[in-house]
Amino acid sequence: MPAYGHISVAIPMMAEFDNLTRLFGCLERQTLTHFTVVCCVNNEEHSPALDDNLRTLDWLHSYQGMPVTILDRCTPGHGWQGKQNGVGWARKVLFDHIATLCDDTEAVVSLDADTDIAPGYLQGVLDTLNATPGAAFSVPYRHPLCGDDTLDRPMLRYECYMRNYLIGLLRIRNPYAFTALGSAMTFPLTAYRRVGGITPMASGEDFYLLQKFAKTGKLATRFAEPHDNALLAVHPQGRASTRVPFGTGPAIAHGIEAIEASYPFYRPEAFEAVAATFEAFPTLYTREVETPMSAFLRQQLRTDDLWGPLRRNFHDQEHFVHACVERVDGLRILQYLRGNPAFRLPDSEMPVAFRHDPIEQLDAYRDRLFQEELSLR
């Protein structure tokens, strides 16, 4: 396995002119010096974002702080058309461009223009990838407060939902224990090529790419020693957005009541049911047993013979179990939990009241979850 010696920082940009100075200030302060910045300035043809993007292009072309590769997917004739649009396509264009030009010693850092990183971030990423050869990396994150209660309150509720979910999976040592944020993932090109690249989508492309990495058994979730995981966590802005169908931005835009309805906290027994299902996989190689997820899987996969085809295709227990893990993946787990109302913890039973408690109290609760998550990663 080659040592990774260089990083390409891949940044999609749409209407991000106001963030450029802060973003490139973060990049200029990096202790690592051998990295390249690649930006994809993008919008649909005839988009209202074009004026802002043209200002971004002018700024990038005149910038002299470090070399920047600019991929134009915004000017007339170069913008997205038809189904090719959105951040998923921008990430694909960026990652594929890097993969075309670079060899197997290259690592990719996926970033967003609204995300702050500490000066040691890129060095920490490079050290982590070299400490776990072939693995991708789902990076710790923390959204900063902006001082606006109408934005901070739903942001904290949504982030705590994500941390509750991740902590539940980490406690049972599930292979799909990761949080998918496009600004908080990195990978070597060897891993990207191994999984066949990214599948562009309107939203969720980061989740499906990380899930591909997880299915290979090659996904790191914490910085290598001696790096401080809390210090090097990325800090994406918690801003309201309707650019994508789901995620942090849309959740904040829809408000806290909508978040409570769509993004519940789950009881510990929900994750215990997932754990019991995964623990049954070795037994299923030799005989049929009912698992907590069996009824759901029969309905979801539209078959009464969940494991027979896998037994016929895989003639040893190790490969059979791996096939089971691939079948009952992160998407299936999420669907299973969301589809069972008994697993949901009502907001009224939570240790804080996100609608009413002071922001300082909610932030302290968020930080307790963050520290617990880091201890389990």
Side-chain angles (χ1 to χ4, degrees):
M1 188 69 65
Y4 311 116
H6 190 268
I7 282 177
S8 289
V9 182
I11 312 173
M13 294 180 175
M14 185 174 74
E16 298 287 4
F17 178 79
D18 290 341
N19 285 317
L20 293 175
T21 300
R22 186 171 67 184
L23 168 68
F24 278 83
C26 286
L27 293 170
E28 289 167 359
R29 289 189 290 272
Q30 290 301 300
T31 57
L32 184 77
T33 57
H34 43 287
F35 67 92
T36 301
V37 179
V38 187
C39 302
C40 180
V41 187
N42 71 102
N43 54 242
E44 295 183 57
E45 287 285 345
H46 314 297
S47 168
L50 178 59
D51 287 344
D52 188 286
N53 281 345
L54 291 176
R55 295 173 68 198
T56 295
L57 285 177
D58 287 342
W59 192 96
L60 292 174
H61 282 297
S62 63
Y63 174 74
Q64 297 181 350
M66 66 184 71
V68 179
T69 298
I70 305 166
L71 306 180
D72 173 10
R73 293 295 185 276
C74 70
T75 57
H78 295 91
W80 306 122
Q81 299 188 38
K83 295 182 178 180
Q84 293 188 358
N85 65 79
V87 68
W89 274 99
R91 293 201 201 280
K92 177 176 173 58
V93 166
L94 284 161
F95 299 162
D96 289 356
H97 173 86
I98 296 165
T100 299
L101 296 180
C102 300
D103 64 19
D104 286 350
T105 64
E106 191 77 8
V108 178
V109 166
S110 178
L111 205 61
D112 284 338
D114 69 344
T115 302
D116 293 337
I117 54 175
Y121 179 69
L122 294 184
Q123 185 64 63
V125 164
L126 196 63
D127 291 345
T128 301
L129 294 180
N130 277 314
T132 53
F137 181 19
S138 176
V139 180
Y141 71 96
R142 187 181 183 279
H143 294 93
L145 298 176
C146 70
D148 183 338
D149 187 275
T150 62
L151 297 177
D152 286 338
R153 195 170 293 274
M155 179 277 290
L156 287 167
R157 174 59 177 78
Y158 183 74
E159 183 177 319
C160 288
Y161 149 77
M162 292 196 295
R163 296 200 186 282
N164 163 263
Y165 188 79
L166 179 56
I167 287 169
L169 292 179
L170 287 168
R171 283 175 175 165
I172 63 172
R173 297 290 184 260
N174 189 270
Y176 299 105
F178 61 81
T179 297
L181 291 176
S183 57
M185 62 181 185
T186 78
F187 50 86
L189 279 184
T190 51
Y192 184 71
R193 293 182 175 120
R194 184 176 64 241
V195 301
I198 190 171
T199 301
M201 308 177 73
S203 188
E205 75 289 337
D206 42 13
F207 171 84
Y208 288 103
L209 180 58
L210 287 173
Q211 180 166 267
K212 286 183 181 181
F213 292 137
K215 288 184 176 183
T216 69
K218 297 277 191 178
L219 183 61
T221 56
R222 62 179 295 113
F223 283 96
E225 298 292 343
H227 295 289
D228 185 326
N229 281 267
L231 179 64
L232 294 188
V234 298
H235 296 272
Q237 292 178 25
R239 58 183 179 177
S241 172
T242 57
R243 295 180 182 179
V244 293
F246 58 88
T248 307
I252 294 172
H254 292 152
I256 196 162
E257 292 184 17
I259 294 174
E260 289 174 353
S262 300
Y263 301 102
F265 281 49
Y266 295 106
R267 300 181 185 276
E269 51 264 36
F271 300 99
E272 291 167 5
V274 175
T277 299
F278 275 65
E279 290 165 2
F281 290 159
T283 301
L284 285 165
Y285 179 63
T286 56
R287 61 187 176 90
E288 287 291 333
V289 294
E290 193 73 1
T291 77
M293 294 182 69
S294 292
F296 160 79
L297 291 170
R298 282 193 288 267
Q299 181 181 32
Q300 194 73 23
L301 300 174
R302 299 180 182 180
T303 180
D304 291 327
D305 187 11
L306 291 172
W307 318 111
L310 299 185
R311 290 192 201 97
R312 291 189 288 272
N313 288 334
F314 300 97
H315 302 297
D316 63 75
Q317 187 183 78
E318 179 183 355
H319 289 91
F320 170 83
V321 169
H322 181 77
C324 292
V325 171
E326 286 200 333
R327 168 165 282 195
V328 189
D329 61 17
L331 177 62
R332 298 297 181 210
I333 293 170
L334 178 60
Q335 291 170 334
Y336 171 63
L337 299 190
R338 289 178 67 89
N340 192 329
F343 288 155
R344 297 187 174 208
L345 181 70
D347 276 56
S348 60
E349 296 183 24
M350 292 181 192
V352 293
F354 283 93
R355 296 196 194 188
H356 310 297
D357 284 344
I359 291 294
E360 294 77 14
Q361 188 173 343
L362 303 182
D363 191 29
Y365 176 63
R366 183 261 299 269
D367 282 343
R368 289 200 299 274
L369 293 180
F370 181 40
Q371 292 302 322
E372 181 178 2
E373 176 189 312
L374 291 180
S375 72
L376 293 169
R377 275 178 176 257

